Amino acid sequence: MVNFPSKLIEDAVAEISRLPGIGKKTALRLTLHLLKQNEPVTVSLAESLLSLRKNIRYCARCHNVSDGEICSICAGNKRDKSIICVVEDLPDLLAIENTNQYSGLYHVLGGVISPIQGIGPDELKIESLIQRIDQPDGEQPVSEIIMALPGTMEGDTTAFYLTRKLQDKGVKISTIARGIPVGGELEYTDEVTLGRSILTRIKYSTE
Amino acid sequence: MVNFPSKLIEDAVAEISRLPGIGKKTALRLTLHLLKQNEPVTVSLAESLLSLRKNIRYCARCHNVSDGEICSICAGNKRDKSIICVVEDLPDLLAIENTNQYSGLYHVLGGVISPIQGIGPDELKIESLIQRIDQPDGEQPVSEIIMALPGTMEGDTTAFYLTRKLQDKGVKISTIARGIPVGGELEYTDEVTLGRSILTRIKYSTE
C-alpha cells in the first residue's frame, strides 16, 4: 500500500479497515468519499456512531438493545407475553423479527455455552430468564419457551442445559425446526441435517 | 427491513448505509459489530473521521491533501522538481504513487472541464499551475508537464485546454500512454482504444 500523503487519511483508513469485511482499498475509497462530501456528512456519521456506543442501553427484561429501561418489544402491547423465544444474540432476534412470523417476547442470552471459549452458564443471562418465568412480565403466565439457538454443538449444549434448568417450571419447551431449507435440494443437503429432518418429520394431518 | 428495536441502531445504520457500496444489511452487520466491541473501538473510529474532516488541509502548491502548509511530496527532497504530473483528483495521485514509477511532483486540478456538470476552467486549479511554472518550487525550472487525465471527453478537453494555455511557457507537455492494458487481449479491447494504440505505436529501438 502506498504511503499516504496525510497522517489523517492514514489513520482514517486504518480505523475503517478494522471493520469486518472492509479492506484497505475499500477503506481508502470510503475515506476519499467522505473528504469529497460536505463536512456535515462525516460529522453526522461520526456522531451517530458515538451516540450509538455511548447511549445504547439494554432492556432490563430481555437484554435486547433498547432506548429506554424496557425495549419496544417487551413494552409492545400487541405481543403475546406468554411465549419467550431464547436467542443467542441480537442479529438472531432481528432475523426472527424480520420473518414477521413471531409475535411473542424474546430473551437474549448474550452467547452460548462454549467451554473452549471459556463461556459457561454463568456468563449468560440464564438467571434472569428463570426469573421471568417465575415473575411473568405480562398478566398471563409464561406458557412456552422456544429455543432459537444455533445448530452447533454449543447451541445444542446450551439448549440442553436450559431444558434441564427449566424442566420443573411447568412451561412447554420447544426448539425451532432443523431441516432442509425451503427451496433446498435434498442431494446438496449435508447428511446430518437430512438425517435430522427425517427423524423430526412432521405428520400431514389426514383427518 | 425490520423495525429496529433502537433508534440509535436505526440512525447508525442509516448513516453507515449512506456510504458508497454499503447497503442496509452490511450497515447493520457493521453496527452490531461495533456494539460487540469495547467502547474505545467505536470512539477511535468516530474520532479519526471527525479529525480527518476537520483538520485536513490542502497543499498550497499542488493541492494534494496535506497535514501542513506544504504536502510531503512537494516537501520531499528526493523528488524531481522539474516535472509536474497533472491529475484530476486525489485517487489518481495515489494510484500513480502506488506504481513506484514516478518521482516528480503533482498538481491536483480538483476536477476536469465538464460543461454538462457546469465545471469550467475557472473552477479548476489552473492558475496556480501556471504560477508554479513561472515561479518553480525547486531550484531548477519546470521542464515537463505530464497530463495524467482520464481518457474521457472531459479529460481530453481539459488536456487540450491546458496544452493551449501552457504552449508558450517553454515546457515539454506529454500525456500518459493510452493503449491495451498489460496482459490485455486484443480481441476484447474496444475499438477506440485499439485504434489509438495503433496510431500512437512505439518504435522498437533497432539501432
Side-chain angles (χ1 to χ4, degrees), chain B residues 49-121:
Chain B
L49 295 180
L50 286 176
S51 164
L52 168 76
R53 202 60 189 79
K54 290 199 168 142
N55 301 327
I56 197 83
R57 295 172 65 183
Y58 294 90
C59 176
R61 287 185 193 155
C62 73
H63 314 296
N64 180 14
V65 290
S66 173
D67 290 340
E69 172 79 6
I70 301 296
C71 79
S72 56
I73 294 176
C74 284
N77 50 22
K78 284 187 179 160
R79 312 289 303 207
D80 179 350
K81 297 192 176 168
S82 67
I83 310 182
I84 296 176
C85 177
V86 177
V87 292
E88 179 182 0
D89 226 328
L90 206 54
D92 305 330
L93 184 156
L94 293 174
I96 295 173
E97 277 295 277
N98 230 348
T99 66
N100 288 321
Q101 297 291 324
Y102 181 67
S103 64
L105 303 179
Y106 292 93
H107 191 85
V108 181
L109 285 183
V112 283
I113 296 172
S114 168
I116 294 171
Q117 291 179 51
I119 303 175

Side-chain angles (χ1 to χ4, degrees), chain A residues 7 36-37 53 67 89, chain B residues 7 36-37 53 89:
Chain A
K7 185 84 176 59
K36 269 272 174 185
Q37 307 299 305
R53 201 61 188 78
D67 291 338
D89 226 329
Chain B
K7 185 85 175 59
K36 268 272 173 186
Q37 307 299 305
R53 202 60 189 79
D89 226 328

Side-chain angles (χ1 to χ4, degrees), chain A:
Chain A
M1 205 61 189
V2 70
N3 285 323
F4 294 110
S6 157
K7 185 84 176 59
L8 293 166
I9 292 191
E10 196 177 323
D11 287 348
V13 168
E15 286 293 338
I16 295 175
S17 62
R18 289 171 70 182
L19 294 171
I22 295 189
K24 290 257 177 199
K25 279 221 164 178
T26 306
L28 178 61
R29 194 166 51 81
L30 296 177
T31 304
L32 296 177
H33 167 83
L34 287 176
L35 271 183
K36 269 272 174 185
Q37 307 299 305
N38 293 329
E39 190 166 319
V41 173
T42 309
V43 172
S44 69
L45 169 63
E47 281 173 355
S48 77
L49 295 180
L50 285 176
S51 162
L52 169 77
R53 201 61 188 78
K54 290 200 168 142
N55 300 327
I56 197 83
R57 295 172 64 183
Y58 293 90
C59 176
R61 287 185 192 154
C62 72
H63 314 294
N64 180 14
V65 290
S66 174
D67 291 338
E69 172 78 5
I70 301 297
C71 78
S72 54
I73 294 175
C74 284
N77 50 22
K78 285 188 178 158
R79 313 289 303 205
D80 179 349
K81 297 191 177 168
S82 66
I83 309 182
I84 296 176
C85 176
V86 177
V87 293
E88 179 182 359
D89 226 329
L90 206 54
D92 306 330
L93 183 155
L94 292 175
I96 296 173
E97 277 295 279
N98 229 348
T99 66
N100 288 320
Q101 296 292 323
Y102 181 67
S103 64
L105 303 179
Y106 291 93
H107 191 85
V108 182
L109 284 182
V112 283
I113 296 171
S114 168
I116 294 173
Q117 292 178 51
I119 303 174
D122 295 344
E123 269 77 46
L124 307 178
K125 308 287 189 195
I126 293 177
E127 276 311 307
S128 63
L129 174 62
I130 295 171
Q131 262 180 37
R132 286 178 74 187
I133 298 170
D134 293 342
Q135 297 151 21
D137 310 338
E139 280 163 24
Q140 321 109 291
V142 176
S143 64
E144 182 171 0
I145 303 283
I146 304 175
M147 307 279 175
L149 294 170
T152 58
M153 205 180 68
E154 288 81 6
D156 285 346
T157 307
T158 310
F160 180 71
Y161 180 90
L162 284 175
T163 307
R164 277 219 341 215
K165 270 271 187 188
L166 303 176
Q167 65 191 354
D168 48 7
K169 294 285 176 190
V171 291
K172 204 160 75 180
I173 299 174
S174 60
T175 179
I176 53 169
R178 314 224 184 272
I180 64 163
V182 176
E185 300 276 6
L186 262 66
E187 61 174 319
Y188 302 125
T189 306
D190 67 287
E191 302 97 60
V192 183
T193 301
L194 198 53
R196 273 225 208 182
S197 77
I198 293 168
L199 286 176
T200 60
R201 64 192 176 279
I202 300 154
K203 264 202 187 123
Y204 285 122
S205 131
T206 48
E207 296 159 284

Side-chain angles (χ1 to χ4, degrees), chain B residues 1 30 90 99 119 138 148 173 179 181 185 188 193 207:
Chain B
M1 204 61 187
L30 295 178
L90 206 54
T99 66
I119 303 175
I173 301 174
E185 300 277 5
Y188 302 124
T193 301
E207 297 160 283

